[in-house]
Amino acid sequence: MAETRTRYGDAVTEHLADDRPVVAVANRLPVQHGDDGWELSPGGLVTALRPVMSTHSGAWVGWDGGAKGMPATLPDMDVRLVPIGLSATQIRNYYHGFANATLWPLLHDAIEKPRFERAWWYSYRDVNAIFADRALAALAEEPGAITWVHDYHLMLVPQLIRGRRPDQPIGFFLHVPWPSPDLFARLPWREQILAGLLGADVVSFHTERYRSNFVRACARLLAGSGIEVRGTEIMLPDGRVVATTASPISIDAAEFTQNATAPGIDADIEALAEQFAGRTLLLGVDRLDYTKGIVERLLAVEMMLERNPEYRTSLAFLQIAMPSRDNVREYRHLRATVEQHIGRINGRFTEPGNDVPVHYLYRGLSQQHLAAYYAVADALLVTPLIDGMNLVCKEYVIVQDARDENGILVLSEFTGATGELPQAILCNPFDVEGLSYRIENGLGLPAEIRRAAISEMAAYVRKHDVHRWVAEQLTEIATRGAKAAAAAAAREAG
Ligand code: ADQ
């Protein structure tokens, strides 16, 4: 771990303008109990925040997930853990309800119908107030700290902190898309959510489109409240200015490169190469979520098998699905649907005496195991119907490049990542037949072209890695916070 700290430390200080403490506020605390005791949990947000937490002091405020006996600080880091316990009713109403069955589908273009329940909203308000109280208590112990609030679970927190700490630098980052104002307008509590976010000095999104959707929602739904939009800034009636930015998140490219070349991975790769020997391997890696286009991907593979009988023995598709939110009915339904499709496809196309064409793992894997799968896959199919960013595609190009491979990345145009990785084979997953042809055509590209695309995408991801994202975010929050405090002091004096 000491070695890890040095690596992150070098990478972060290279970018970082200041080293003030950070109080991060996110739905979940980033630790879990593993075989060797408490460890950092996997997942996009933890990966993103880990570098800053290894070089900054501060605190992380989040739900303990019901875990008992959690350590007081992050393993090997100078960051206090501030655990919040939630009742069974709060978990049902705030988390499974408002966060995952109202906001998640609404913010993902309502591809599943959002459910609106007043009891869920009241619980969301209450739980956001608890998070804000705990963040304020943590801030009292961290003079000069920056507050960094994350994601759709906590959109009221910036305003709740602002009300009690007018001079506090506050940033908010949304990890999911922001839909068009027409869609967002369906939310019965839309003004409250917008006002909650406008408590921050900086509200950030992955892409320019989400940012501009948000600003347009403010202009339209808060018209008459005295706000004024000027470019990317929103002027509030009390004189405060809220900046909005587009800041695509990324991965720790150095860490994935290291995973791809670590001792031990060769044995994993060899085992997989043997398992899929003589077959072209297509791979999907996702949380099992209806936004990820897993069904469309399966149907596209089915069409390929239908059109090309030789593929039935020469091609394999492996879907690795991480269990997710199985307390929400849409997710249980999705799992059943995915497993039905897999059963049907294998039933139709497994040739006697041969392996099945579709392989399926329903579990989380270690980063190193995942790297081995990325290394051997001839194609990664990233086909979300909508996805704020998507980190899996960035992980794949880094591992492929580190292993000098020439796999293809088939990437949905409805991911945030699409704007950053134009060398991918872009696809529209709603057009399942078109998707099946895109995959086929991609597999037919000459090796040098595929290799060049991987290498260009990897170079981009290495340059725009998560360390740079963290540094830019914190610098922006600190700068904007200082400006706001100076403006407030001037208003008071004058
Ligand atoms: P997610 O929807 O969770 O994140 P994604 O960005 O793809 O989606 O990140 C998933 C992470 O989980 C990746 O790091 C991946 O390696 C890991 N993972 C997936 N399947 C796994 C498995 N079976 N075992 C182990 N690890 C697995 C949300 C938004 C995204 C946004 C991120 C970060 O929905 O759009 O990119 O936050 O902001």
Side-chain angles (χ1 to χ4, degrees):
M1 213 51 182
E3 195 190 308
T4 313
R5 182 189 295 230
T6 314
R7 186 157 45 85
Y8 291 138
D10 292 347
V12 175
T13 40
E14 202 181 292
H15 295 296
L16 219 55
D18 74 50
D19 59 357
R20 69 181 72 190
V22 174
V23 171
V25 193
N27 177 54
R28 276 302 277 273
L29 283 176
V31 288
Q32 65 181 22
H33 203 272
D35 294 341
D36 303 323
W38 290 96
E39 58 188 24
L40 283 174
S41 38
L45 184 56
V46 177
T47 310
L49 296 192
R50 199 170 37 184
V52 69
M53 290 307 179
S54 65
T55 48
H56 285 56
S57 61
W60 183 311
V61 180
W63 174 30
D64 62 14
K68 299 279 174 277
M70 199 172 267
T73 56
L74 272 181
D76 294 312
M77 296 181 195
D78 189 17
V79 173
R80 278 184 303 124
L81 293 174
V82 182
I84 292 176
L86 296 178
S87 71
T89 309
Q90 285 168 331
I91 294 168
R92 196 170 57 244
N93 290 346
Y94 148 77
Y95 183 62
H96 300 311
F98 201 76
N100 288 335
T102 303
L103 289 175
W104 177 269
L106 180 77
L107 297 173
H108 286 91
D109 277 0
I111 55 160
E112 278 284 341
K113 201 167 177 201
R115 288 187 268 148
F116 301 122
E117 303 265 352
R118 272 172 170 60
W120 295 357
W121 161 247
Y122 296 139
S123 183
Y124 184 82
R125 259 185 2 190
D126 294 346
V127 171
N128 270 243
I130 296 170
F131 272 76
D133 282 347
R134 299 305 294 273
L136 283 159
L139 283 167
E141 290 181 41
E142 303 285 351
I146 289 173
T147 311
W148 201 11
V149 185
H150 287 264
D151 229 359
Y152 60 99
H153 313 84
L154 301 174
M155 292 198 282
L156 303 178
V157 168
Q159 181 60 38
L160 291 166
I161 295 178
R162 175 69 59 214
R164 296 191 7 226
R165 290 282 298 260
D167 56 348
Q168 172 62 46
I170 305 173
F172 179 91
F173 189 84
L174 187 71
H175 290 260
V176 298
W178 189 279
S180 78
D182 277 340
L183 277 173
F184 183 70
R186 294 183 190 175
L187 184 68
W189 308 282
R190 57 205 190 182
E191 289 89 356
Q192 290 95 317
I193 293 289
L194 293 175
L197 290 171
L198 292 176
D201 296 296
V202 186
V203 184
S204 295
F205 304 84
H206 289 302
T207 71
E208 177 55 28
R209 191 161 55 80
Y210 311 152
R211 189 202 65 73
S212 106
N213 282 345
F214 169 74
V215 170
R216 287 185 300 123
C218 289
R220 176 170 140 190
L221 299 167
L222 300 179
S225 69
I227 73 153
E228 190 191 331
V229 172
R230 278 193 215 150
T232 58
E233 293 183 335
I234 300 173
M235 317 289 156
L236 303 185
D238 65 1
R240 285 183 50 239
V241 179
V242 180
T244 61
T245 72
S247 312
I249 200 171
S250 193
I251 60 164
D252 188 335
E255 186 179 41
F256 271 91
T257 303
Q258 204 183 45
N259 287 340
T261 49
I265 194 178
D266 289 341
D268 286 347
I269 290 178
E270 262 170 46
L272 289 173
E274 198 175 313
Q275 182 185 356
F276 295 105
R279 296 180 132 195
T280 300
L281 180 62
L282 315 180
L283 178 69
V285 175
D286 318 73
R287 261 188 324 99
L288 191 64
D289 195 292
Y290 52 76
T291 58
K292 302 289 185 184
I294 299 171
V295 169
E296 287 71 10
R297 192 180 306 164
L298 282 164
L299 294 174
V301 169
E302 183 173 26
M303 282 184 175
M304 290 169 64
L305 296 170
E306 208 162 36
R307 275 200 306 266
N308 306 286
E310 73 280 7
Y311 276 159
R312 297 170 196 175
T313 49
S314 69
L315 185 127
F317 170 51
L318 166 63
Q319 176 64 49
I320 306 178
M322 184 147 74
S324 182
R325 305 178 190 171
D326 49 13
N327 283 303
V328 178
R329 74 170 178 233
E330 287 81 356
Y331 287 79
R332 288 194 298 274
H333 181 237
L334 172 71
R335 180 179 174 195
T337 307
V338 164
E339 293 178 0
Q340 264 169 19
H341 282 296
I342 294 171
R344 190 194 63 254
I345 299 169
N346 281 339
R348 281 184 75 191
F349 294 119
T350 304
E351 293 286 332
N354 278 280
D355 202 357
V356 292
V358 182
H359 293 242
Y360 173 59
L361 302 182
Y362 177 68
R363 74 194 70 142
L365 297 180
S366 70
Q367 279 205 343
Q368 184 162 329
H369 266 107
L370 216 46
Y373 282 104
Y374 289 146
V376 296
D378 299 294
L380 180 76
L381 310 184
V382 179
T383 59
L385 306 177
I386 174 163
D387 204 342
M389 168 52 60
N390 192 282
L391 297 177
V392 171
C393 54
K394 294 186 174 183
E395 295 167 359
Y396 178 70
V397 297
I398 287 294
V399 171
Q400 281 275 310
D401 194 52
R403 305 285 313 183
D404 206 11
E405 292 288 355
N406 55 27
I408 56 166
L409 171 63
V410 176
L411 180 62
S412 161
E413 53 188 90
F414 303 106
T415 59
T418 198
E420 294 184 282
L421 304 176
Q423 302 85 351
I425 296 173
L426 299 183
C427 68
N428 169 6
F430 293 94
D431 170 17
V432 169
E433 193 174 359
L435 171 60
S436 74
Y437 283 115
R438 300 296 274 177
I439 302 169
E440 247 176 72
N441 294 342
L443 291 173
L445 285 173
E448 348 41 285
I449 291 185
R450 297 157 45 150
R451 181 73 195 93
I454 286 289
S455 154
E456 279 176 38
M457 290 188 280
Y460 178 91
V461 175
R462 272 194 296 273
K463 190 161 174 217
H464 300 86
D465 71 354
V466 73
H467 303 288
R468 178 175 173 159
W469 177 81
V470 165
E472 284 175 0
Q473 281 279 292
L474 290 182
T475 305
E476 182 79 28
I477 300 166
T479 312
R480 289 287 176 170
K483 218 168 142 185
R491 277 198 303 276
E492 208 153 285

